[in-house]
Amino acid sequence: MTPPRPPRIPEPALEGATADGQSTNLPAGLTHEDLIRSRDRFRVHSARQSHRRWYLLWLLVGPGILAMLGENDGPSMISYATSGATYGLGFFLPFILITFVMAIVCQEMCMRVGAVTHRGYGQLVLERFGKLWGWFAAGDLVVTNLVTLIAEFVSIRVGLAYFHLSAGVAALLGLVLVLFTLSGGRYWRWERIVLGMAIFNGLFLVAAIMVGPNWGSVGHAVVTFSPFPGGSVNTLLLLIASTIGATVTPWMIFFQQSASADKGMTPDDLRHGRYDTIAGGILAALFGCGALIAGAALATRGGASIQGLAGAGFPGALGAVSGKAVATVFALGLIEAGAVAVLTISASTGYAVGECVGAPHSLNSSARGAALFYGANVGAAALAGAIILIPGAPLLSIALNANVLATVLLPVALVFMIMLANDRELMGRWANGAALNWVAIGIVVFISVCGAAYAIDSFLQTIHVL
Amino acid sequence: MTDREREELVMYLERDQLVSDKGRPVPRARLSRRVSVGLWALRVFAVVVSAMVVYTFIAQL
């Protein structure tokens, strides 16, 4: 039996609220951002009161799926496809699944801290541990985000090149998308547009089905982790570090915590926040495995060296062995992966800069009310877009190294996240339990070892010690 | 605007979700010497390893 609906609760009015948050009609201390968030919370409250479960889920999903599918970005998909092209089906297929389990554990903590404290990661690190650590965290993020954003534009460029469109079109497309999604001055609008785009990450799964893999081999690889990759140890370490950097990264930590706070999530929403994070992890793992399976078509039909693929581009190489349709789907997937990540990563840059400077930092604010937040958001994307216009840039190398850099800087960000999630003064009864802490510490150690192994091995080879 | 109208306006927000409250800093945590040393060691590790990655990337160009 359907439960009776309670009387309709009046929706908070927006009259008197100006976009810059400085209205004289508003009571002292209230801003436009407060009113918009209050309206969003009204809808959640109303859905919960009237037991509309699916509607409530629809209202509360977003940050988790966006963080996970945003990280299924251009460099990640190129990295997965490169693993497939280099080693075929085998070790890397289940390894991707494991890295997404790690991502779910880390991202759940981010969501929980954001929902309980209503503050972003950068702000909490800065206030709780001091300015030095806060600025270190923001500095790491800005560097890795800039490199990753360049790689996202590279991904859009590689995808568009398949349709004979130039690098200028790629740069322009990314920038126009950033400006368009930011134009509403509302978190909800931004989130729904980016979610709508992120669904097309599923194109990689379509590409995998279209190449007609041997599903028995796929199942065997997932269960047995075999065949284990042979050949160059350095290439293997690069792809392991790159695959980790393709699933858990510093920007995701900043983004999901800040977005959860900006969305207005509260401890009452933690269960739905977990659904959101797990659903995002499952979708991203499926689509990531799709990219690897599609890339594996290159390994079984002649193969291609990693750098060889940089010139031709993955879509072109796939087109030669699997047909034009697969290549088209893969190229569209790369454009989508790059575009969604440009939006989420530039947003995380805006959050980090705003939080560390102490300036307004919400998608519920207008451009005038949060000029620094919007400026950092658009500026990061514009700078990265300009860099890909430089002729002769080593595209695939940038894409793979962006993930590796994220991997080596991740342990610091994760340790602060674990400390915040354990902080009983901030988190109260929602702090981490002992079992989760052991898992989280294990993840930090594993990521540190993998990142350091590649860095040290490559460095020693470069200076001719090995 | 009356107090009641103001209350209705923000009744769906928790108190510390208001922008004015979010701007109030949380108290600084006290880090033990062991934790501080650990954090600095991790920071040095991250900088050294990042430098190796960047050097290798540039050398391979």
Side-chain angles (χ1 to χ4, degrees):
Chain A
M1 198 176 105
T2 314
R5 289 194 175 182
R8 186 173 162 74
I9 306 160
E11 190 164 348
L14 280 172
E15 285 92 22
T18 60
D20 60 2
Q22 304 296 320
S23 171
T24 51
N25 295 333
L26 281 172
L30 274 191
T31 65
H32 182 75
E33 183 187 329
D34 288 326
L35 297 184
I36 290 180
R37 191 166 295 124
S38 178
R39 288 191 80 161
D40 289 344
R41 290 307 300 170
F42 159 78
R43 292 159 70 195
V44 171
H45 180 80
S46 186
R48 190 167 275 137
Q49 290 286 94
S50 53
H51 305 286
R52 285 180 286 171
R53 285 183 215 162
W54 290 106
Y55 182 53
L56 182 63
L57 184 65
W58 164 247
L59 291 175
L60 289 173
V61 297
I65 293 178
L66 283 184
M68 295 291 191
L69 290 185
E71 186 45 33
N72 257 13
D73 57 355
S76 302
M77 293 322 215
I78 290 173
S79 174
Y80 297 147
T82 303
S83 300
T86 311
Y87 300 114
L89 299 172
F91 170 77
F92 278 98
L93 207 52
F95 187 66
I96 289 174
L97 301 178
I98 288 174
T99 55
F100 273 105
V101 172
M102 288 173 7
I104 289 171
V105 171
C106 299
Q107 294 308 116
E108 189 276 337
M109 284 192 283
C110 305
M111 178 278 299
R112 185 156 33 90
V113 175
V116 172
T117 66
H118 308 307
R119 285 166 160 85
Y121 173 86
Q123 184 182 354
L124 275 185
V125 171
L126 190 112
E127 291 174 0
R128 202 77 180 128
F129 304 112
K131 285 185 178 171
L132 184 68
W133 292 114
W135 281 104
F136 271 147
D140 286 352
L141 185 82
V142 169
V143 169
T144 52
N145 274 10
L146 186 62
V147 178
T148 313
L149 274 170
I150 295 168
E152 305 309 343
F153 277 100
V154 167
S155 163
I156 300 175
R157 181 182 167 177
V158 168
L160 286 176
Y162 182 74
F163 301 104
H164 311 292
L165 294 168
S166 68
V169 177
L172 194 66
L173 176 71
L175 200 56
V176 167
L177 272 175
V178 171
L179 290 170
F180 170 68
T181 51
L182 291 178
S183 62
R186 199 161 168 207
Y187 174 86
W188 173 259
R189 177 183 182 274
W190 180 89
E191 184 191 84
R192 295 298 127 165
I193 293 173
V194 186
L195 269 179
M197 289 171 61
I199 291 168
F200 292 96
N201 204 255
L203 285 170
F204 290 100
L205 192 57
V206 175
I209 294 166
M210 287 170 76
V211 298
N214 180 339
W215 292 107
S217 302
V218 171
H220 181 263
V222 169
V223 175
T224 62
F225 285 72
S226 62
F228 193 81
S232 157
V233 173
N234 189 259
T235 304
L236 176 61
L237 289 174
L238 167 67
L239 290 175
I240 286 178
S242 188
T243 302
I244 293 170
T247 41
V248 203
T249 59
W251 80 259
M252 290 168 76
I253 292 175
F254 271 82
F255 174 80
Q256 191 162 354
Q257 186 173 329
S258 299
S260 299
D262 204 5
K263 188 178 174 72
M265 291 179 76
T266 70
D268 291 338
D269 308 323
L270 289 181
R271 188 160 55 98
H272 289 86
R274 288 187 183 113
Y275 294 156
D276 178 35
T277 307
I278 292 169
I282 291 171
L283 287 175
L286 265 177
F287 301 159
C289 287
L292 186 143
I293 293 168
L298 297 172
T300 53
R301 292 172 213 181
S305 73
I306 294 176
Q307 287 303 325
L309 291 171
F314 262 102
L318 267 176
V321 297
S322 300
K324 213 171 172 183
V326 178
T328 304
V329 169
F330 200 89
L332 288 172
L334 283 180
I335 296 167
E336 176 279 337
V340 168
V342 163
L343 299 174
T344 50
I345 295 174
S346 57
S348 84
T349 311
Y351 280 129
V353 172
E355 286 169 14
C356 289
V357 173
H361 49 270
S362 171
L363 287 161
N364 283 327
S365 298
S366 69
R368 216 183 331 152
L372 184 68
F373 169 73
Y374 282 96
N377 206 321
V378 176
L383 183 60
I387 289 172
I388 66 150
L389 297 178
I390 299 169
L395 303 185
L396 193 70
S397 192
I398 290 177
L400 291 176
N401 280 284
N403 280 344
V404 174
L405 194 62
T407 304
V408 298
L409 288 174
L410 181 63
V412 186
L414 270 181
V415 164
F416 277 109
M417 172 47 65
I418 294 169
M419 287 170 75
L420 288 173
N422 274 285
D423 192 329
R424 294 208 172 262
E425 269 184 62
L426 290 178
M427 298 293 293
R429 66 191 174 93
W430 293 287
N432 273 8
L436 180 56
N437 278 334
W438 282 113
V439 174
I441 290 167
I443 290 171
V444 171
V445 171
F446 178 68
I447 290 173
S448 304
V449 169
C450 290
Y454 167 69
I456 293 168
D457 186 65
S458 303
F459 182 71
L460 293 179
Q461 281 192 22
T462 306
I463 60 171
H464 307 295
V465 172
L466 280 184
Chain B
M1 186 175 276
T2 64
D3 284 351
R4 184 181 158 72
E5 283 171 330
R6 178 187 189 281
E7 206 174 294
E8 274 177 6
L9 213 58
V10 292
M11 67 186 286
Y12 304 105
L13 293 180
E14 292 188 351
R15 171 161 282 284
D16 58 353
Q17 275 185 302
L18 292 171
V19 172
S20 54
D21 259 59
K22 286 207 281 187
R24 201 168 296 148
V26 295
R28 179 92 180 256
R30 281 191 192 162
L31 298 179
S32 68
R33 195 175 162 74
R34 249 175 59 184
V35 171
S36 291
V37 170
L39 287 175
W40 275 109
L42 194 60
R43 167 52 54 186
V44 172
F45 165 82
V47 169
V48 171
V49 175
S50 303
M52 286 177 174
V53 171
V54 172
Y55 178 84
T56 305
F57 171 68
I58 293 170
Q60 286 174 351
L61 286 179

